[in-house]
Amino acid sequence: MRDIGIITKLSNPQALKATAKLAKWLHKQGCKVTITKEAAKDANIAKKIASSAAQGTLAQNRDLVVVIGGDGTFIAACRSVGTTGTPLLGINMGRLGFLTEVTKDAMLTTMAEVLADRYKIEKRMLLEVTIKRKNKEILKHLVLNDTVIHKGALARMLEYQVSIDNQFVFSSRADGLIIASPTGSTAYSLSAGGPIIHPTLNTILLVPICPHTLTNRPIAVPGDGVILVTLSKESSHDQRLTLDGQTGFPLRDGDKLLIKQSKHQLRVLHAADRNYYSVLREKLRWGEQVGTQDNS
Amino acid sequence: MRDIGIITKLSNPQALKATAKLAKWLHKQGCKVTITKEAAKDANIAKKIASSAAQGTLAQNRDLVVVIGGDGTFIAACRSVGTTGTPLLGINMGRLGFLTEVTKDAMLTTMAEVLADRYKIEKRMLLEVTIKRKNKEILKHLVLNDTVIHKGALARMLEYQVSIDNQFVFSSRADGLIIASPTGSTAYSLSAGGPIIHPTLNTILLVPICPHTLTNRPIAVPGDGVILVTLSKESSHDQRLTLDGQTGFPLRDGDKLLIKQSKHQLRVLHAADRNYYSVLREKLRWGEQVGTQDNS
Amino acid sequence: MRDIGIITKLSNPQALKATAKLAKWLHKQGCKVTITKEAAKDANIAKKIASSAAQGTLAQNRDLVVVIGGDGTFIAACRSVGTTGTPLLGINMGRLGFLTEVTKDAMLTTMAEVLADRYKIEKRMLLEVTIKRKNKEILKHLVLNDTVIHKGALARMLEYQVSIDNQFVFSSRADGLIIASPTGSTAYSLSAGGPIIHPTLNTILLVPICPHTLTNRPIAVPGDGVILVTLSKESSHDQRLTLDGQTGFPLRDGDKLLIKQSKHQLRVLHAADRNYYSVLREKLRWGEQVGTQDNS
Amino acid sequence: MRDIGIITKLSNPQALKATAKLAKWLHKQGCKVTITKEAAKDANIAKKIASSAAQGTLAQNRDLVVVIGGDGTFIAACRSVGTTGTPLLGINMGRLGFLTEVTKDAMLTTMAEVLADRYKIEKRMLLEVTIKRKNKEILKHLVLNDTVIHKGALARMLEYQVSIDNQFVFSSRADGLIIASPTGSTAYSLSAGGPIIHPTLNTILLVPICPHTLTNRPIAVPGDGVILVTLSKESSHDQRLTLDGQTGFPLRDGDKLLIKQSKHQLRVLHAADRNYYSVLREKLRWGEQVGTQDNS
């Protein structure tokens, strides 16, 4: 781990400050440091400390990319990493994130551990999303969390049909459908009533959003299948695909959506003693009483 | 009940046929019958049987308006009725509706009861929705079921703040917020996880859609308050108001939404022996087992 | 407000200490103070400061009863108050309660306001629960929060039938059924998926616990009806009634349970500027993010 | 498949009749048939048609055991099969079951397919449940669906702590905790708000029942871990373990519960063209509208 990139949440002054601090520290440790062009400028980091690159290519040929920001920055960095196989390490600037588990204060001590080869690498499933229109592939995209088909603002609802490996599963009328990886189970899917899925499980989660049929419950299906979602031809003319909650794409009636596990995985770097459940506990306040009246 | 209007779901051939049948029967009973211009044409109903009027004005000065279609047609008819006070009677053409409780087959026997003054009138709360932009009222509308603020397809989420009678209630980040009358509790609100509220209760229901904060549960507030929803200025620039799921209206950041019970109520006509709970049972299949494995 | 009783959570040393402090302060203000016999002993409070009485009769002829403890102590105090009409004021010793809204630190300043006649009295619905066995009344009890019918540990499930004012509502197979007042909506009912109901609403909430039929959703019914729950004769021989989560009672197959609003109400004393929603916000952490991954 | 056992729901006359019919038919096809002693007597089946055995040993050395009854009979048969490896085939006598997928009418045609070697065998995870009291193992049991720790009728709630592979996961206060296999995800777990998990997934599902902390959501954890549930010493003295919803066992404070995947699996025999999702669709009425008002 000597050639390290940094991707920064530019709109956050603390992230810029932390980027400068980390770049200097890494440089001092003898590492080669690469930051984004925008961070170089905004954080005023000298070229002798860190070279700069476009965010889209920064991850190529790096040993590690450190993400300084929040979970949204991590997701964006994941797009930059793409299929390069470069591992990511997330440092949050405010509250602990599901993806950015290292606090600002622990940044340098954690990095010292990493440079001393004390860390573990966890592989996270990526979903490959393909849109087919009239049998023609018009988009292919990798997501870490989820892809969502959602009715547009003008539409009353979405009508779609799901099949897996050519086996019909169900048709539904709903506001939308979330197709999530285990990593995505704690993102949008959780808001829509989905369960928490441990990130190492080989499964894909289907969670309908506000389904008309009340028994249309979240379902976890085998991770090796090919999921096909077909939009009803009689559906509204106003629907949209979202990729990791950040990129949108308009859909048309009759569009087909293919989702399967990518052969590529995201490599996430963690502290050697990191515990997945402690992140859950802190994010969801499991230790505290967030709830009902206590009669005792 | 001698001067009777009929509002018809034009796209449904059965509804047109039933309209012709009912118009003739009512004419034979000596009633004055008024149908919509479109129904007159599409169902080929002679002028001597029924006069015709625009749907928007048909309800004025009628003793009763019969709706032939589904719940969507009933909602549309409710808009026509507006503040005239004319009662509505709903006849469904397919499956039983929450609002159209009379089946096609029971149409004439039910109408015979009505003409013989054997019926009951139930009053349903209407919500008055006002949009204020920069302190200027830009829209005022009555709804029977609900009004929904929803993030647009391009937006990540909606940020809003709710207060009631100038008392701050909560702020939330979510896909949207449903403000429903008791009648609306079995419509969209139910899909979003809201409870069933008996239609006679004096309450307004607030149901967040996919809230980020998992403890943001549905809440029923007093029906006499004025609910103010303010869209965050830092929110997305892509959000929308829906009125009874049929009419949409684009919202801007900082728009204020005022919701309160209207002084007008919808008068709904029911068979004398009608039971609210039997409709629920049939719609939600409470009698049957729609659910989990039975170990017995 | 010169004749004031205090009911104390005896197992909490802080509550005993606060009781002594409050008794002395009230005595100094010229009030007549009555505490429970146990508190007098455990907190070592002199007879010249406060007389003592059994908890069951302490509320009789008092101007006010102050509850020092948690929500469970408040519920127990509510039983002591019974139908006397004496108002209650709750002071929590640890975390804010839904019923004990005044913090330990604010105890004396709040009491000073009360003695100066600056307060408001809120009336809370009480439910009257009657058990009938073979047409004979075998128990009658008032509850503030809820009454719950629950299958016993040995039973597979409970089978019951609900009717309201002699109108059949539904039959269900479930772990149990919660019948809650609006006050109880933030207690056990919330854990079972029920909505929050503003305490001033005239409604009773029916919330099935783990129903086999997934569409058996919580329902809020008119507060003036008489709810009859009949246990199926074919049901298990192992079921139980709970009253406010504190008192239990074994039920037999065929037992009938009648629940209606009592003519008595609980009078709860609040600070003049008290806001119901701020309690909700704090208890449910609505201000904070207790939830899903944030992509921004 | 020549040596076939039959396990029958004795309380169901149709099941007894079907047992006689199947025994005769199998005997005619040249199979060796074994039925339970009770079925032999109740269905009056001659010894030359079928030998009889105790239900507990009937599955030993059989090629196949056919279950005639409902899902509860299947679960009971699963206990008889134990670790013998004998596959099960379920025939329901009334409504389609999650486990008994073959209808009464399709019994003989399905069996003809089976005898002609046209079928598939699906392996289902079994959970091994061990109770330790003061470091001593006091019970070991296999379950197909789930094991549930539940507060007793007298208790207010259960307090427990979960760890997996010696890693602390969470502590909770709730009515109980369901630990379910994927097969069990459509049983009790579904009633308690759990997701549907495809039966081939290698995961164990933890679903709290009515948790006080509202963010305590269902979680699917890796199927290879050892789950340890420890009952709080300060908990109630009234709690119980249930095994597959049929067997109960009283627990004491401080008891430890170990749950892990058994090395044994249940082998379930299906028709060659069987589709898991079609069972879900039929059981949960996904094709129909079981839900909200439709505005169209």
Side-chain angles (χ1 to χ4, degrees), chain D residues 3 36 135-136 144 209 233 282:
Chain D
D3 185 346
T36 63
N135 291 317
K136 223 180 119 182
L144 173 61
I209 305 168
K233 283 204 175 114
E282 187 163 338

Side-chain angles (χ1 to χ4, degrees), chain D residues 80-205:
Chain D
S80 305
V81 163
T83 60
T84 61
T86 305
L88 284 182
L89 169 66
I91 294 166
N92 67 72
M93 282 300 107
R95 286 194 57 214
L96 169 77
F98 281 103
L99 300 170
T100 49
E101 296 179 8
V102 176
T103 63
K104 202 173 47 173
D105 294 343
M107 180 174 75
L108 294 190
T109 50
T110 302
M111 286 309 297
E113 291 288 299
V114 170
L115 296 193
D117 280 338
R118 284 190 291 272
Y119 59 82
K120 53 186 176 190
I121 297 266
E122 190 190 48
K123 288 180 181 171
R124 295 277 179 124
M125 177 196 296
L126 294 170
L127 296 176
E128 184 188 289
V129 182
T130 309
I131 306 177
K132 280 194 174 177
R133 183 167 294 163
K134 294 178 183 167
N135 291 317
K136 223 180 119 182
E137 192 181 304
I138 58 165
L139 181 136
K140 181 165 281 186
H141 204 286
L142 290 188
V143 295
L144 173 61
N145 273 338
D146 51 40
T147 187
V148 180
I149 315 165
H150 211 284
K151 74 175 187 69
L154 302 167
R156 255 181 242 165
M157 66 178 163
L158 193 73
E159 245 188 290
Y160 59 87
Q161 178 178 314
V162 177
S163 62
I164 300 179
D165 296 338
N166 298 316
Q167 224 177 21
F168 172 52
V169 178
F170 63 88
S171 61
S172 183
R173 305 208 287 173
D175 272 14
L177 177 68
I178 303 167
I179 300 109
S181 70
T183 298
S185 72
T186 50
Y188 187 28
S189 170
L190 198 60
S191 291
I196 298 164
I197 305 277
H198 193 278
T200 60
L201 290 177
N202 184 19
T203 183
I204 298 172
L205 190 55

Side-chain angles (χ1 to χ4, degrees), chain B residues 72 145 186 285 288 293 295, chain D residues 72 145 186 285 288 293 295:
Chain B
N145 275 335
T186 50
R285 310 285 171 96
E288 308 164 40
Q293 183 187 311
N295 282 1
Chain D
N145 273 338
T186 50
R285 310 286 171 95
E288 307 163 42
Q293 183 187 310
N295 281 1

Side-chain angles (χ1 to χ4, degrees), chain B residues 12-25:
Chain B
N12 184 332
Q14 286 198 310
L16 286 168
K17 224 170 126 185
T19 301
K21 187 176 171 185
L22 179 60
K24 275 169 207 159
W25 185 86

Side-chain angles (χ1 to χ4, degrees), chain B residues 148-151 157-163 168-179 206-213 216-219 227-236 239 251 253-257, chain C residues 286:
Chain B
V148 181
I149 315 166
H150 211 285
K151 75 175 186 69
M157 64 178 165
L158 193 74
E159 246 188 288
Y160 59 86
Q161 179 179 313
V162 176
S163 62
F168 172 52
V169 179
F170 63 89
S171 61
S172 182
R173 304 208 287 173
D175 272 15
L177 176 69
I178 303 168
I179 300 109
L206 305 181
V207 180
I209 305 169
C210 300
H212 285 220
T213 296
N216 245 12
R217 295 274 288 264
I219 177 168
I227 298 165
L228 170 67
V229 185
T230 309
L231 296 180
S232 162
K233 281 201 175 118
E234 290 73 34
S235 183
S236 79
Q239 52 235 343
L251 294 176
D253 301 341
D255 277 0
K256 285 177 193 305
L257 204 73
Chain C
W286 282 348

Side-chain angles (χ1 to χ4, degrees), chain B residues 7 34-38 52-60 62 80:
Chain B
I7 288 179
T34 312
I35 56 177
T36 63
K37 285 181 201 299
E38 294 79 6
S52 67
Q55 184 167 325
T57 56
L58 179 146
Q60 288 164 18
R62 296 280 95 74
S80 304

Side-chain angles (χ1 to χ4, degrees), chain A residues 142-219:
Chain A
L142 291 188
V143 296
L144 174 62
N145 274 336
D146 52 39
T147 186
V148 181
I149 315 166
H150 212 285
K151 75 175 186 69
L154 302 167
R156 257 181 241 163
M157 64 178 164
L158 193 73
E159 245 188 290
Y160 60 85
Q161 179 178 316
V162 177
S163 62
I164 300 178
D165 296 338
N166 298 316
Q167 224 177 20
F168 172 53
V169 179
F170 64 87
S171 61
S172 182
R173 304 206 288 174
D175 272 15
L177 176 69
I178 303 168
I179 299 109
S181 71
T183 298
S185 72
T186 49
Y188 187 29
S189 170
L190 198 59
S191 291
I196 298 165
I197 306 278
H198 193 278
T200 61
L201 290 177
N202 184 21
T203 182
I204 298 173
L205 189 55
L206 306 180
V207 180
I209 306 168
C210 300
H212 284 219
T213 296
L214 298 181
T215 57
N216 246 11
R217 294 274 287 264
I219 176 167

